[in-house]
Amino acid sequence: MFWSGKRTGGRRASRRRLSFEQCESRRLMAVTTSLSGGTLTINGDGTDDDVAIVGTANPGEIMVIGRNGTLVDGVAADMDGNSIVTIQGVTADLDATFFGGDDIINVDNVYLAGEMLIDTRTGEDSVVFGATGVVSTAGDCRVTTGGGGEEVDVFRAESYKVFIGGNLNVNSGKSARLIGASAAGAINVLEFAESYLDGVTSGNFIDVRPASTMVNGIALFRTSASSLIRVGMSTSVYIDTCYSGGAIEVPGPPPSFVHPGPPGPTPPGKTITIARCQADRISVRTPGGDDTVFVYGNSIVGTATNDPELSIDTGDGNDNVTASYNVVLGDVFMSLAGLNDTVILVGNLVTGFASADGGTGGNLLILLGNQFGGSAFVQFQ
């Protein structure tokens, strides 16, 4: 018997319609590379890029590795989840820009005949040099994390593995940490809320300036510069066992500093410590507030072009200044402004002129075991 399929048991046969649900599209993060004139250019997108830039054993050859879903030049990820592109002929610069997102960038085993420029723009970014291999450039290196606001950007130069033939400039973020990095030129660490330098060497000057909010702290250990170490004012500044062929300066807050709150507040108190350093001149200047300054165990020796000098100048506030066991082959100047201040001088050797002015207010001066080779002037009310 032939069944037409139109009726079954007197009822019209039902037709089952198949439908397809559209799956939610998943956009993979994309990074592109290009090579022109020996310069490798890397461009990220506006998402969270996770990229390693790693040199190989072949000169001028660099691998760009996308991790955790980041694809490089559309190359599919391998069994380890890495999208790898190998570029040959990198004989000049490396220029990498990542346009927004929370980016993670690692640079290792990279040797450049030119410059390195890395810019992560907005987002909470992490940039790490030298975690597993040396990073070296013949020219300048500039890293900008684009921090600010609530972004938590981090730059780290690890374990004595970063060698820059020109200037090293690191700009803007939450935390900068340089361990053993060196540059033939200047080193600038600017606009970070926290900065930590240990074993850093500059053939010119080192300039560390905090974010304009002037919070958290700056610490330098075993760091040297041929001409100048300058540290901008922060809530806490600690400089220990450092060398400068010129001055070590804590020159006060940046011009852009505006203390939050109603007009005319008292600036927050600062703690400034400079210990066991050698320089032609050591200078500390605070803008006001209840500040504490410790200067001890330093050698201020001067050169043919720079007269040796220890200078401490505090603004209005209940300040405490202690200078102990310093050798100053020159002059000492201390000036404290209004309110109640305390100055303690213990075991210092000063060959030149010494001056201490407590300013107005109820002040206290304590002198114990000092040697002054020249005249001394003290004015305390």
Side-chain angles (χ1 to χ4, degrees), residues 329-343:
L329 304 184
D331 302 326
V332 172
F333 298 94
M334 295 187 180
S335 178
L336 289 72
L339 300 183
N340 303 322
D341 305 314
T342 299
V343 173

PDB file of all heavy atoms in Angstrom, residues 329-343:
ATOM      1  N   LEU A 329      82.798  68.233  53.758  1.00  0.00           N
ATOM      2  CA  LEU A 329      84.007  69.025  53.492  1.00  0.00           C
ATOM      3  C   LEU A 329      83.613  70.350  52.864  1.00  0.00           C
ATOM      4  O   LEU A 329      84.069  70.730  51.784  1.00  0.00           O
ATOM      5  CB  LEU A 329      84.951  68.233  52.578  1.00  0.00           C
ATOM      6  CG  LEU A 329      85.362  66.848  53.077  1.00  0.00           C
ATOM      7  CD1 LEU A 329      86.362  66.213  52.125  1.00  0.00           C
ATOM      8  CD2 LEU A 329      85.935  66.929  54.493  1.00  0.00           C
ATOM      9  N   GLY A 330      82.727  71.062  53.570  1.00  0.00           N
ATOM     10  CA  GLY A 330      82.191  72.325  53.094  1.00  0.00           C
ATOM     11  C   GLY A 330      81.230  72.884  54.114  1.00  0.00           C
ATOM     12  O   GLY A 330      81.472  72.790  55.323  1.00  0.00           O
ATOM     13  N   ASP A 331      80.095  73.420  53.651  1.00  0.00           N
ATOM     14  CA  ASP A 331      79.182  74.159  54.507  1.00  0.00           C
ATOM     15  C   ASP A 331      77.893  73.385  54.772  1.00  0.00           C
ATOM     16  O   ASP A 331      77.495  72.499  54.002  1.00  0.00           O
ATOM     17  CB  ASP A 331      78.828  75.504  53.853  1.00  0.00           C
ATOM     18  CG  ASP A 331      80.050  76.364  53.581  1.00  0.00           C
ATOM     19  OD1 ASP A 331      80.999  76.289  54.385  1.00  0.00           O
ATOM     20  OD2 ASP A 331      80.059  77.087  52.561  1.00  0.00           O
ATOM     21  N   VAL A 332      77.216  73.781  55.863  1.00  0.00           N
ATOM     22  CA  VAL A 332      75.924  73.218  56.236  1.00  0.00           C
ATOM     23  C   VAL A 332      74.946  74.366  56.453  1.00  0.00           C
ATOM     24  O   VAL A 332      75.254  75.326  57.178  1.00  0.00           O
ATOM     25  CB  VAL A 332      76.022  72.367  57.519  1.00  0.00           C
ATOM     26  CG1 VAL A 332      74.634  71.955  57.995  1.00  0.00           C
ATOM     27  CG2 VAL A 332      76.892  71.146  57.288  1.00  0.00           C
ATOM     28  N   PHE A 333      73.779  74.253  55.822  1.00  0.00           N
ATOM     29  CA  PHE A 333      72.740  75.271  55.980  1.00  0.00           C
ATOM     30  C   PHE A 333      71.428  74.570  56.330  1.00  0.00           C
ATOM     31  O   PHE A 333      71.000  73.650  55.626  1.00  0.00           O
ATOM     32  CB  PHE A 333      72.554  76.081  54.691  1.00  0.00           C
ATOM     33  CG  PHE A 333      73.767  76.845  54.260  1.00  0.00           C
ATOM     34  CD1 PHE A 333      74.656  76.293  53.350  1.00  0.00           C
ATOM     35  CD2 PHE A 333      74.039  78.102  54.778  1.00  0.00           C
ATOM     36  CE1 PHE A 333      75.784  76.986  52.949  1.00  0.00           C
ATOM     37  CE2 PHE A 333      75.164  78.798  54.389  1.00  0.00           C
ATOM     38  CZ  PHE A 333      76.037  78.242  53.473  1.00  0.00           C
ATOM     39  N   MET A 334      70.784  75.021  57.410  1.00  0.00           N
ATOM     40  CA  MET A 334      69.486  74.485  57.799  1.00  0.00           C
ATOM     41  C   MET A 334      68.553  75.644  58.081  1.00  0.00           C
ATOM     42  O   MET A 334      68.883  76.531  58.877  1.00  0.00           O
ATOM     43  CB  MET A 334      69.594  73.582  59.031  1.00  0.00           C
ATOM     44  CG  MET A 334      70.392  72.320  58.785  1.00  0.00           C
ATOM     45  SD  MET A 334      70.322  71.190  60.184  1.00  0.00           S
ATOM     46  CE  MET A 334      71.350  69.856  59.561  1.00  0.00           C
ATOM     47  N   SER A 335      67.391  75.617  57.443  1.00  0.00           N
ATOM     48  CA  SER A 335      66.416  76.684  57.626  1.00  0.00           C
ATOM     49  C   SER A 335      65.041  76.061  57.828  1.00  0.00           C
ATOM     50  O   SER A 335      64.539  75.348  56.953  1.00  0.00           O
ATOM     51  CB  SER A 335      66.401  77.618  56.419  1.00  0.00           C
ATOM     52  OG  SER A 335      65.415  78.626  56.574  1.00  0.00           O
ATOM     53  N   LEU A 336      64.451  76.301  58.997  1.00  0.00           N
ATOM     54  CA  LEU A 336      63.138  75.781  59.314  1.00  0.00           C
ATOM     55  C   LEU A 336      62.202  76.965  59.537  1.00  0.00           C
ATOM     56  O   LEU A 336      62.551  77.907  60.249  1.00  0.00           O
ATOM     57  CB  LEU A 336      63.177  74.900  60.558  1.00  0.00           C
ATOM     58  CG  LEU A 336      63.876  73.535  60.418  1.00  0.00           C
ATOM     59  CD1 LEU A 336      65.382  73.663  60.316  1.00  0.00           C
ATOM     60  CD2 LEU A 336      63.518  72.644  61.605  1.00  0.00           C
ATOM     61  N   ALA A 337      61.044  76.916  58.972  1.00  0.00           N
ATOM     62  CA  ALA A 337      60.130  78.055  59.017  1.00  0.00           C
ATOM     63  C   ALA A 337      59.327  78.044  60.317  1.00  0.00           C
ATOM     64  O   ALA A 337      59.844  77.671  61.371  1.00  0.00           O
ATOM     65  CB  ALA A 337      59.224  78.043  57.790  1.00  0.00           C
ATOM     66  N   GLY A 338      58.039  78.429  60.249  1.00  0.00           N
ATOM     67  CA  GLY A 338      57.252  78.625  61.449  1.00  0.00           C
ATOM     68  C   GLY A 338      56.863  77.346  62.161  1.00  0.00           C
ATOM     69  O   GLY A 338      57.148  76.238  61.724  1.00  0.00           O
ATOM     70  N   LEU A 339      56.227  77.525  63.323  1.00  0.00           N
ATOM     71  CA  LEU A 339      55.755  76.494  64.237  1.00  0.00           C
ATOM     72  C   LEU A 339      56.915  75.876  65.021  1.00  0.00           C
ATOM     73  O   LEU A 339      58.018  76.411  65.030  1.00  0.00           O
ATOM     74  CB  LEU A 339      54.921  75.449  63.502  1.00  0.00           C
ATOM     75  CG  LEU A 339      53.651  75.995  62.802  1.00  0.00           C
ATOM     76  CD1 LEU A 339      52.859  74.869  62.180  1.00  0.00           C
ATOM     77  CD2 LEU A 339      52.801  76.817  63.758  1.00  0.00           C
ATOM     78  N   ASN A 340      56.678  74.764  65.675  1.00  0.00           N
ATOM     79  CA  ASN A 340      57.617  74.227  66.657  1.00  0.00           C
ATOM     80  C   ASN A 340      58.527  73.183  66.000  1.00  0.00           C
ATOM     81  O   ASN A 340      58.067  72.097  65.618  1.00  0.00           O
ATOM     82  CB  ASN A 340      56.856  73.601  67.825  1.00  0.00           C
ATOM     83  CG  ASN A 340      55.922  74.597  68.493  1.00  0.00           C
ATOM     84  OD1 ASN A 340      56.267  75.776  68.630  1.00  0.00           O
ATOM     85  ND2 ASN A 340      54.751  74.152  68.894  1.00  0.00           N
ATOM     86  N   ASP A 341      59.803  73.489  65.917  1.00  0.00           N
ATOM     87  CA  ASP A 341      60.749  72.643  65.191  1.00  0.00           C
ATOM     88  C   ASP A 341      61.838  72.128  66.129  1.00  0.00           C
ATOM     89  O   ASP A 341      62.208  72.764  67.115  1.00  0.00           O
ATOM     90  CB  ASP A 341      61.409  73.427  64.048  1.00  0.00           C
ATOM     91  CG  ASP A 341      60.387  74.038  63.103  1.00  0.00           C
ATOM     92  OD1 ASP A 341      59.442  73.326  62.726  1.00  0.00           O
ATOM     93  OD2 ASP A 341      60.524  75.227  62.755  1.00  0.00           O
ATOM     94  N   THR A 342      62.383  70.944  65.765  1.00  0.00           N
ATOM     95  CA  THR A 342      63.485  70.354  66.517  1.00  0.00           C
ATOM     96  C   THR A 342      64.604  69.994  65.551  1.00  0.00           C
ATOM     97  O   THR A 342      64.364  69.347  64.521  1.00  0.00           O
ATOM     98  CB  THR A 342      63.033  69.087  67.255  1.00  0.00           C
ATOM     99  OG1 THR A 342      62.001  69.425  68.182  1.00  0.00           O
ATOM    100  CG2 THR A 342      64.198  68.452  68.000  1.00  0.00           C
ATOM    101  N   VAL A 343      65.834  70.396  65.884  1.00  0.00           N
ATOM    102  CA  VAL A 343      67.018  70.037  65.103  1.00  0.00           C
ATOM    103  C   VAL A 343      67.998  69.335  66.039  1.00  0.00           C
ATOM    104  O   VAL A 343      68.332  69.851  67.113  1.00  0.00           O
ATOM    105  CB  VAL A 343      67.682  71.274  64.464  1.00  0.00           C
ATOM    106  CG1 VAL A 343      69.000  70.893  63.816  1.00  0.00           C
ATOM    107  CG2 VAL A 343      66.753  71.903  63.436  1.00  0.00           C
TER     108      VAL A 343
END
